[in-house]
Amino acid sequence: MKDNNLKILAIVGMSGSGKSVAVNFLASQGFPKVHFGNMIYREMEKRGIERTTDGKSEKAFREMIRETEGHDWVARQAIAETKDLINAGQKRIVLDGLYSWTEYRAFLHEFPGALTLVAIVIPKKLRYKRVSERPDRPFDDQAIRERDYGEIEYMEKGGPIAMADYFIINDGSVADLEVNLQKILREIGF
């Protein structure tokens, strides 16, 4: 789907890097978002699978669906939702939760020239500290390290981060992150 006016911005990064803060800021600016995790949550609900507070049920389901339906299952759902937004007249769309190399490649293929990746990065020690202190699903160092390994080795998360068009080092305040995002938005005409 080639449209020279279409711009899709994907926020990528490791757990605790500030992706959700960035996406929430963009949504507050009026940009519609496609949340990849919602694809998993909706399918779990449809199948009667309960979400656990520790995230283990989602992880198990995500792994199972990738094995049974293909590694591009989430991407196919997200692409369909993105097309629905485009058909409704949206030309600026934010992707929340593009994780894998497979998902990245699927979006590049489906929307040539429209996708921009912004990687939110942060020193590991600070990221682990923030993850341990967050109110929603905090992790200790061991748990976040295991999650990191799983996301890199199994979810192919490193590829999209490495291929990012822009990098924001998120070691300051939320206001700093927002200023950096605004600079990128202006630069790409989002």
Side-chain angles (χ1 to χ4, degrees):
M1 173 178 272
K2 181 71 171 162
D3 178 343
N4 292 332
N5 295 318
L6 177 65
K7 295 196 184 292
I8 300 172
L9 186 68
I11 305 297
V12 298
M14 298 301 291
S15 181
S17 62
K19 295 182 309 296
S20 295
V21 173
V23 168
N24 290 340
F25 170 72
L26 294 167
S28 77
Q29 303 301 300
F31 300 114
K33 71 177 180 177
V34 174
H35 184 257
F36 284 48
N38 283 344
M39 313 305 160
I40 296 293
Y41 304 149
R42 282 196 295 259
E43 191 65 22
M44 287 176 70
E45 184 177 326
K46 187 171 143 185
R47 295 180 186 206
I49 300 169
E50 187 177 335
R51 290 174 57 192
T52 57
T53 56
D54 62 6
K56 288 183 180 177
S57 65
E58 291 119 76
K59 178 181 183 269
F61 185 79
R62 188 171 40 253
E63 290 173 2
M64 181 279 299
I65 201 85
R66 286 169 55 95
E67 290 300 320
T68 60
E69 303 292 330
H71 283 250
D72 65 341
W73 184 86
V74 172
R76 291 193 317 263
Q77 312 310 306
I79 286 168
E81 192 170 310
T82 301
K83 285 182 175 180
D84 288 345
L85 287 169
I86 294 165
N87 291 335
Q90 297 294 333
K91 296 291 184 180
R92 302 291 183 267
I93 299 167
V94 176
L95 302 181
D96 179 6
L98 185 148
Y99 272 18
S100 74
W101 184 250
T102 300
E103 293 163 354
Y104 169 64
R105 300 276 304 190
F107 267 84
L108 280 180
H109 178 266
E110 197 65 40
F111 305 103
L115 182 64
T116 300
L117 290 182
V118 175
I120 311 293
V121 296
I122 179 173
K124 184 170 67 172
K125 187 175 182 177
L126 179 56
R127 183 167 60 85
Y128 281 22
K129 180 180 184 299
R130 288 181 180 174
V131 168
S132 72
E133 295 172 348
R134 68 184 181 190
D136 181 35
R137 291 195 326 173
F139 288 95
D140 62 21
D141 280 2
Q142 179 63 31
I144 190 62
R145 193 172 9 267
E146 288 173 9
R147 183 173 178 161
D148 281 355
Y149 293 166
E151 289 181 348
I152 291 167
E153 293 171 356
Y154 185 74
M155 296 296 295
E156 316 166 300
K157 199 171 189 180
I161 296 168
M163 295 302 294
D165 300 291
Y166 296 89
F167 290 86
I168 295 175
I169 299 173
N170 186 25
D171 61 356
S173 68
V174 170
D176 293 336
L177 176 61
E178 292 172 355
V179 165
N180 285 319
L181 281 167
Q182 288 172 327
K183 285 179 191 174
I184 293 168
L185 294 179
R186 282 191 300 275
E187 187 171 325
I188 65 174
F190 199 84

